[in-house]
């Protein structure tokens, strides 16, 4: 990844379906985390960030999503119990706008300027809450939670200049003349990194 990514000041890994490119996304996210490059993950991008953190920080060898590895020893991303019974019926997606509560100390809360949000979803797989305490013990902040179903909506790494990943789709509520708060925060972090690196190069 260093040869391909070292010149970038920000990295966004978007949503998607299917296994193609997942390991490459995981490697790119590891690079962004370790090199302190501003990172924003959306849907699958968030799930890949969870997989990377599980493997390389928490120490869960072979951690994966059951979407891509049904026999993974650490299913950090998986279907909800109620979804498993209807997987063949085509109705497994979590869709539409849903409310979530933000941690008031999070970067996300600073971006939104509030602690209650409503964001639109389009996905099947979720963060596995069985691993929540282990992740938190290794420095991950669960910055937003869906109160109705206790599902994680936003993860952050507080010791990183900007590392935010979301389960929902902020692009659904972003406009050319009114950027979504998380996009604005991410771009601002990338601009700051560029400015900082430019200053160091001149010294």
């Amino acid at each position: 990844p260093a040869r391909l990514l070292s010149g970038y000041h920000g990295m966004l890994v978007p949503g998607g379906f299917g296994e193609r490119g997942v390991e490459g996304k995981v490697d790119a996210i590891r690079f962004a985390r370790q090199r302190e490059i501003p990172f924003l993950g959306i849907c699958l991008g968030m799930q890949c960030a969870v997989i990377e953190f599980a493997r390389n920080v928490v120490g869960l060898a072979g951690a994966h999503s059951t979407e891509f590895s049904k026999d993974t020893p650490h299913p950090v991303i998986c279907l909800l119990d109620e979804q498993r019974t209807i997987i063949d019926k085509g109705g497994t997606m979590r869709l539409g706008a849903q409310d979530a509560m933000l941690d008031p100390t999070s970067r996300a809360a600073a971006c939104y300027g509030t602690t209650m949000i409503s964001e639109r979803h389009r996905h099947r797989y979720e963060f596995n809450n069985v691993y929540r305490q282990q992740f938190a013990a290794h420095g991950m902040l669960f910055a937003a939670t869906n109160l109705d179903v206790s599902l994680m909506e936003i993860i952050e790494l507080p010791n990183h200049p900007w590392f935010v990943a979301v389960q929902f789709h902020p692009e659904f509520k972003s406009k050319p003349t009114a950027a979504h708060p998380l996009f604005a925060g991410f771009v601002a972090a990338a601009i700051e990194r560029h400015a900082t690196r430019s200053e160091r190069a001149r010294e």
Side-chain angles (χ1 to χ4, degrees), residues 18-196:
E19 190 175 0
R20 182 180 178 186
V22 165
E23 292 300 330
K25 293 178 177 70
V26 170
D27 284 345
I29 293 167
R30 177 180 54 80
F31 186 82
R33 178 180 57 79
Q34 293 177 336
R35 300 296 182 92
E36 297 190 336
I37 299 170
F39 166 76
L40 177 62
I42 297 174
C43 201
L44 180 60
M46 182 283 297
Q47 295 175 4
C48 288
V50 167
I51 293 166
E52 190 280 322
F53 194 84
R55 294 175 182 177
N56 300 313
V57 179
V58 184
L60 302 175
H64 220 313
S65 166
T66 56
E67 179 179 7
F68 312 124
S69 177
K70 296 187 185 304
D71 298 323
T72 173
H74 297 291
V76 291
I77 301 293
C78 64
L79 286 175
L80 299 179
D81 288 340
E82 58 267 29
Q83 289 174 309
R84 293 189 185 113
T85 63
I86 58 172
I87 191 168
D88 295 326
K89 298 180 182 178
T92 58
M93 276 197 173
R94 185 150 69 104
L95 293 169
Q98 298 185 25
D99 295 336
M101 175 72 76
L102 293 176
D103 183 318
T105 68
S106 65
R107 286 193 179 89
C111 289
Y112 280 102
T114 184
T115 56
M116 280 298 299
I117 61 171
S118 176
E119 292 287 358
R120 294 171 61 186
H121 295 70
R122 189 176 185 272
H123 64 95
R124 289 187 175 90
Y125 289 79
E126 306 281 355
F127 175 81
N128 187 345
N129 276 327
V130 168
Y131 294 93
R132 187 163 181 155
Q133 289 187 346
Q134 284 178 271
F135 275 61
H138 284 82
M140 180 170 283
L141 173 67
F142 294 92
T145 303
N146 182 307
L147 299 180
D148 292 333
V149 285
S150 298
L151 293 173
M152 186 282 303
E153 298 281 13
I154 303 177
I155 60 170
E156 296 184 7
L157 296 182
N159 62 350
H160 189 283
W162 173 274
F163 194 104
V164 178
V166 302
Q167 181 61 82
F168 50 83
H169 287 269
E171 70 273 20
F172 290 165
K173 297 180 71 173
S174 199
K175 300 176 182 178
T177 56
H180 187 284
L182 294 181
F183 287 143
F186 167 66
V187 171
I191 291 171
E192 182 177 352
R193 176 179 171 83
H194 176 268
T196 300

